[in-house]
């Protein structure tokens, strides 16, 4: 899920790499979140940049505002495993603010960070930060998917056990 011009090409690269590694992935812009609400997502890899001095890019503003709503319960994203790759320029005082805000808010809403946020500095060249982060992403994503599968199995076993107990009582 990307927000910002320079984030799109990085998100697309992550998407293409993921497909080539056999992951079932979707690439989308943050502006498309109403067509595919975050409440339906299980895992999200956010790639987001800033405009000006830490403001969300135009195509991410509505999504960031939605996530920041104070009316959401603290369990709103408890189903979501996420990570954030934040792009910025340390020449600005609010370096990588959009990514830092998104990362913090997803955590506040119960989301589970499966890979550490990385703040990438365009003043020194994004690639020196982006490439190592992407290289390490896959192992953490594998673990998040295995954990998710184990949780689903446990939930299915609990449901089956409850159904069996109900049948015995009848």
């Amino acid at each position: 899920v990307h927000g910002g011009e320079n984030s799109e090409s990085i998100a697309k690269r992550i998407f293409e790499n993921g497909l080539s590694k056999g992951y079932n992935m979707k690439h989308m812009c943050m502006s498309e979140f109403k067509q595919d609400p975050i409440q339906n997502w299980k895992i999200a890899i956010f790639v987001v940049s800033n405009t000006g001095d830490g403001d969300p890019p135009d195509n991410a503003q509505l999504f960031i505002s939605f996530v920041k709503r104070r009316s959401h319960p603290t369990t709103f994203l408890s189903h979501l495993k996420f990570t954030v790759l934040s792009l910025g320029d340390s020449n600005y005082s609010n370096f990588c603010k959009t990514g830092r805000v998104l990362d913090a808010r997803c955590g506040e809403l119960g989301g589970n960070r499966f890979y550490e946020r990385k703040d990438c500095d365009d003043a020194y060249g994004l690639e020196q930060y982006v490439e190592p982060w992407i290289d390490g992403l896959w192992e953490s994503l594998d673990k998040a998917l295995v954990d998710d599968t184990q949780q689903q199995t446990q939930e299915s076993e609990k449901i089956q056990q409850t159904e069996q107990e109900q049948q015995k009582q009848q």
Side-chain angles (χ1 to χ4, degrees):
V1 182
H2 74 273
E5 283 185 35
N6 51 350
S7 67
E8 182 175 7
S9 63
I10 294 169
K12 188 170 185 175
R13 188 168 16 150
I14 292 169
F15 169 72
E16 290 171 351
N17 286 350
L19 289 179
S20 72
K21 291 177 182 294
Y23 293 101
N24 180 13
M25 301 180 86
K26 180 177 182 178
H27 175 240
M28 64 183 277
C29 181
M30 288 181 178
S31 63
E32 300 171 285
F33 82 98
K34 289 186 179 180
Q35 290 91 352
D36 188 3
I38 193 170
Q39 300 92 309
N40 297 338
W41 306 351
K42 292 184 186 240
I43 295 181
I45 301 167
F46 295 109
V47 183
V48 65
S49 61
N50 291 325
T51 59
D53 193 18
D55 297 321
D58 289 343
N59 64 2
Q61 285 183 354
L62 288 176
F63 178 77
I64 298 296
S65 293
F66 175 76
V67 171
K68 287 173 59 178
R69 281 188 193 158
R70 292 292 166 196
S71 59
H72 294 311
T74 57
T75 58
F76 184 67
L77 297 179
S78 61
H79 65 282
L80 182 69
K81 294 179 181 180
F82 73 96
T83 188
V84 177
L85 181 63
S86 185
L87 313 176
D89 185 329
S90 61
N91 291 312
Y92 291 91
S93 59
N94 287 313
F95 170 64
C96 288
K97 180 181 177 187
T98 302
R100 287 185 283 115
V101 166
L102 178 60
D103 180 72
R105 188 64 180 143
C106 285
E108 290 168 4
L109 294 174
N112 297 295
R113 189 177 300 101
F114 74 89
Y115 187 50
E116 81 271 358
R117 183 189 80 236
K118 183 66 178 174
D119 296 337
C120 303
D121 192 349
D122 198 26
Y124 296 100
L126 292 176
E127 294 309 313
Q128 75 176 12
Y129 302 97
V130 171
E131 293 308 318
W133 188 87
I134 292 174
D135 289 344
L137 171 67
W138 307 115
E139 183 178 339
S140 294
L141 182 57
D142 283 342
K143 185 177 180 334
L145 291 169
V146 166
D147 291 347
D148 193 45
T149 301
Q150 288 174 344
Q151 183 180 0
Q152 288 174 354
T153 301
Q154 290 171 351
E155 289 171 4
S156 293
E157 288 171 354
K158 285 180 186 177
I159 291 170
Q160 288 176 345
Q161 185 179 12
T162 302
E163 289 173 350
Q164 289 171 352
E165 289 172 3
Q166 288 174 347
Q167 288 175 353
K168 288 179 184 177
Q169 292 175 357
Q170 293 175 356

